[in-house]
Amino acid sequence: MKRIKCELMYDGSRFSGYQSQLNGRTVQQELEKALYVIHKKTSVKTHASGRTDAGVHALGQIVHFDTSIQMPAERWARALNGELPADISVKGTEEVPDSFHARYSVKGKEYRYRIYRTPFRDPFKKAYAHHYPYQLDVGRMKEAALYLIGEHDFTSFCSAKTDKENKVRTITDITFIEQDNDLEVRFVGNGFLYNMVRIIAGTLIKAGNGRIEPAEMAFILADRDRKRAGQTAPAEGLYLWKVFY
Amino acid sequence: MKRIKCELMYDGSRFSGYQSQLNGRTVQQELEKALYVIHKKTSVKTHASGRTDAGVHALGQIVHFDTSIQMPAERWARALNGELPADISVKGTEEVPDSFHARYSVKGKEYRYRIYRTPFRDPFKKAYAHHYPYQLDVGRMKEAALYLIGEHDFTSFCSAKTDKENKVRTITDITFIEQDNDLEVRFVGNGFLYNMVRIIAGTLIKAGNGRIEPAEMAFILADRDRKRAGQTAPAEGLYLWKVFY
């Protein structure tokens, strides 16, 4: 058996998320359907770096699977792309040792959250960025973000629906890229809890529009209470950008 | 009655084109439906700078209509956006004199054709650019494009389905913008025939991939025969960018 690591991108707008479920179209189901065809009607189990929610996009999701098919590892990308629907694309494939696991070997991740601020809705961005046409002071957002850098208990920024006990994570970097009406916030860290990036994005927006002071971030973190942070920002702005191993 | 000029953008991917027709969803129908609601169930006729085909996008389509509603002209944008579906957006509205006509007053147009060249399909670009993962020499495309600049009879680059008698048009500029794997070709001219930009794009691709010599463009033009030019490039790469008055 060979272990194959795949780098995937997908447009999340027409998926009910990454992980297989009874109702709704998912990325995992499409991927396993493609593998089933390639393996001549034998099921192949895939393992991803983590799930993504409905509407969330990925530029660098990582998945692994084991196969007995003899084929140069780099040719798997083309084989899979031949079977996958147009909203999923395999960017590359490589053989990895058995010790590699797409989920357990993760050392860190980068997520990006995109906001656009034109006064009118942009039909080309509607599923790919969060439309926020109101006042937003990016300087205040940057100041607020500084309180999150480092190792913290992120309970306040985690959906109550999580099954994770340990809410301590390290964010190493939050960067703001502004171009015309577009704002992209890049988050790099050793791991992110359920909805964590979207809750942070929603809270940074509150700092940007003046509804909280940047310094309040310290108290929100310390309170370890989801109700203290801002709303979960919409799924369409979120991208799983890169997984580090 | 006031005459209102609207600048529209739309994502063409889920439309059967601009112009109203019996079957399929069109931009004109959505726009006239919105006007019908705003005019309390009175039909209002719209006039566009020209039609666009199924799948073709617009960043700066211009439409006018006449209305008896008393409302500051610039507020029409918000009123229409409140009624329009998410894949159409009105960027701005202004009052114009009765002598203005969205179609008959046109002095020129800019179209852009987008090609992307990653080896794998990009799920985020599939409906917004033409995927061409093969060899493409942009220098040769530029050379071929030079033969089209100026006033010419563009019969060879016009769909046989046209109802236009006079096929003489002037292209003032064709510019190539390359960024990483993206190539955008910008066309400015006094008017474009049915499918003309897509047929030119398909023919420039043939010059770029070596299947014709750039100098052959002169003969293709001179022959005034649609069969001499290249294939009509796919609709998803085309954008009506700007209309000049």
Side-chain angles (χ1 to χ4, degrees), chain A residues 10 14 81 89 121 124, chain B residues 10 14 81 88-89 121 124:
Chain A
Y10 47 84
R14 289 177 221 179
N81 284 332
S89 188
R121 293 167 312 175
F124 296 97
Chain B
Y10 46 85
R14 291 177 218 177
N81 283 333
I88 307 179
S89 188
R121 294 167 310 174
F124 297 98

Side-chain angles (χ1 to χ4, degrees), chain A residues 215-228:
Chain A
E216 249 178 280
M217 292 301 265
F219 303 106
I220 297 172
L221 264 176
D223 283 353
R224 297 180 195 183
D225 176 2
R226 168 67 189 92
K227 290 189 287 293
R228 289 283 282 121

Side-chain angles (χ1 to χ4, degrees), chain A:
Chain A
M1 296 288 266
K2 272 184 184 179
R3 180 156 293 186
I4 304 293
K5 175 188 175 191
C6 300
E7 190 180 14
L8 301 184
M9 60 200 293
Y10 47 84
D11 172 347
S13 56
R14 289 177 221 179
F15 287 108
S16 306
Y18 180 81
Q19 195 172 49
S20 294
Q21 55 183 55
L22 283 173
N23 300 306
R25 184 172 173 258
T26 70
V27 178
Q28 185 181 5
Q29 278 160 345
E30 292 292 347
L31 193 59
E32 294 187 355
K33 212 191 290 175
L35 286 166
Y36 180 80
V37 172
I38 297 169
H39 288 82
K40 314 233 177 273
K41 303 193 179 179
T42 304
S43 296
V44 174
K45 175 92 187 129
T46 60
H47 300 269
S49 72
R51 62 186 84 168
T52 53
D53 275 350
V56 173
H57 311 293
L59 264 287
Q61 170 69 289
I62 301 293
V63 173
H64 86 257
F65 61 88
D66 295 327
T67 181
S68 55
I69 292 181
Q70 293 301 323
M71 165 155 70
E74 65 282 4
R75 280 194 44 206
W76 272 99
R78 185 173 293 194
L80 283 164
N81 284 332
E83 298 296 334
L84 286 167
D87 48 1
I88 307 179
S89 188
V90 175
K91 292 165 76 176
T93 41
E94 57 176 314
E95 192 176 348
V96 284
D98 283 358
S99 56
F100 175 87
H101 190 288
R103 185 167 166 208
Y104 303 129
S105 307
V106 173
K107 291 240 172 11
K109 283 185 179 173
E110 177 173 347
Y111 280 94
R112 296 188 178 184
Y113 196 85
R114 290 183 175 166
I115 296 166
Y116 77 101
R117 300 181 285 168
T118 46
F120 52 87
R121 293 167 312 175
D122 183 332
F124 296 97
K125 290 182 179 160
K126 66 182 192 297
Y128 306 108
H130 171 35
H131 186 213
Y132 193 83
Y134 314 105
Q135 192 260 332
L136 210 50
D137 180 333
V138 178
R140 286 172 60 98
M141 295 174 78
K142 285 181 184 171
E143 205 186 321
L146 287 177
Y147 292 91
L148 303 174
I149 303 295
E151 187 182 85
H152 299 285
D153 181 317
F154 283 98
T155 302
S156 295
F157 297 93
C158 175
S159 166
K161 280 185 271 175
T162 187
D163 53 1
K164 291 274 180 13
E165 288 279 324
N166 179 358
K167 310 263 182 28
V168 176
R169 296 290 183 278
T170 300
I171 296 185
T172 48
D173 207 12
I174 303 180
T175 321
F176 292 77
I177 312 289
E178 274 190 277
Q179 198 182 13
D180 303 323
N181 285 309
D182 296 319
L183 174 64
E184 184 176 85
V185 192
R186 303 179 179 176
F187 300 86
V188 180
N190 70 350
F192 293 88
L193 298 160
Y194 187 48
N195 277 353
M196 181 167 146
V197 178
R198 289 167 56 190
I199 297 169
I200 292 176
T203 312
L204 292 177
I205 287 171
K206 279 181 83 172
N209 68 23
R211 279 166 52 220
I212 61 168
E213 288 306 311
E216 249 178 280
M217 292 301 265
F219 303 106
I220 297 172
L221 264 176
D223 283 353
R224 297 180 195 183
D225 176 2
R226 168 67 189 92
K227 290 189 287 293
R228 289 283 282 121
Q231 283 190 308
T232 306
E236 63 262 29
L238 187 62
Y239 293 74
L240 170 56
W241 201 265
K242 204 169 163 55
V243 185
F244 303 103
Y245 291 98

Side-chain angles (χ1 to χ4, degrees), chain B residues 58-92:
Chain B
L59 264 286
Q61 171 68 289
I62 302 292
V63 174
H64 85 256
F65 61 87
D66 294 326
T67 181
S68 55
I69 292 183
Q70 292 302 322
M71 164 154 70
E74 64 282 6
R75 280 192 46 206
W76 272 100
R78 184 173 293 193
L80 284 163
N81 283 333
E83 298 296 332
L84 287 167
D87 48 1
I88 307 179
S89 188
V90 175
K91 293 164 78 177

Side-chain angles (χ1 to χ4, degrees), chain B residues 14-239:
Chain B
R14 291 177 218 177
F15 287 108
S16 305
Y18 180 82
Q19 197 172 46
S20 294
Q21 54 183 55
L22 283 174
N23 300 305
R25 184 174 172 256
T26 70
V27 179
Q28 186 181 4
Q29 278 160 344
E30 292 291 347
L31 193 59
E32 293 186 355
K33 212 191 291 174
L35 286 167
Y36 180 78
V37 172
I38 297 170
H39 288 83
K40 314 234 178 274
K41 304 194 179 178
T42 305
S43 296
V44 174
K45 176 92 187 128
T46 61
H47 300 269
S49 72
R51 62 186 86 170
T52 52
D53 273 350
V56 172
H57 311 292
L59 264 286
Q61 171 68 289
I62 302 292
V63 174
H64 85 256
F65 61 87
D66 294 326
T67 181
S68 55
I69 292 183
Q70 292 302 322
M71 164 154 70
E74 64 282 6
R75 280 192 46 206
W76 272 100
R78 184 173 293 193
L80 284 163
N81 283 333
E83 298 296 332
L84 287 167
D87 48 1
I88 307 179
S89 188
V90 175
K91 293 164 78 177
T93 40
E94 56 175 314
E95 191 176 347
V96 285
D98 284 358
S99 57
F100 175 87
H101 191 288
R103 185 167 166 209
Y104 303 128
S105 308
V106 173
K107 291 238 170 15
K109 283 185 181 175
E110 177 174 348
Y111 280 95
R112 297 188 177 184
Y113 196 85
R114 291 183 173 165
I115 297 167
Y116 77 102
R117 300 180 285 167
T118 46
F120 52 86
R121 294 167 310 174
D122 183 332
F124 297 98
K125 290 182 181 161
K126 64 181 194 299
Y128 306 108
H130 170 36
H131 186 213
Y132 194 83
Y134 314 105
Q135 193 260 332
L136 209 51
D137 181 333
V138 178
R140 285 173 60 99
M141 293 174 79
K142 286 181 184 172
E143 206 187 320
L146 287 177
Y147 291 91
L148 303 175
I149 302 294
E151 187 181 84
H152 299 284
D153 182 317
F154 283 97
T155 303
S156 295
F157 296 94
C158 174
S159 166
K161 280 183 272 174
T162 187
D163 52 1
K164 292 273 180 8
E165 287 279 324
N166 179 358
K167 309 262 182 29
V168 176
R169 295 290 182 279
T170 300
I171 296 185
T172 48
D173 206 12
I174 304 180
T175 320
F176 293 76
I177 312 289
E178 273 189 278
Q179 199 182 12
D180 302 325
N181 285 308
D182 296 319
L183 174 63
E184 184 175 86
V185 193
R186 302 179 181 177
F187 300 86
V188 180
N190 69 348
F192 292 88
L193 298 160
Y194 188 47
N195 277 353
M196 180 167 149
V197 178
R198 289 167 58 191
I199 297 168
I200 292 177
T203 312
L204 292 177
I205 288 171
K206 279 182 85 172
N209 68 24
R211 281 166 52 220
I212 61 168
E213 288 306 312
E216 249 179 279
M217 291 302 266
F219 302 106
I220 296 172
L221 263 177
D223 283 352
R224 298 180 195 183
D225 177 2
R226 169 67 189 93
K227 290 189 287 293
R228 290 282 282 122
Q231 282 191 304
T232 306
E236 63 263 28
L238 186 62
Y239 293 74

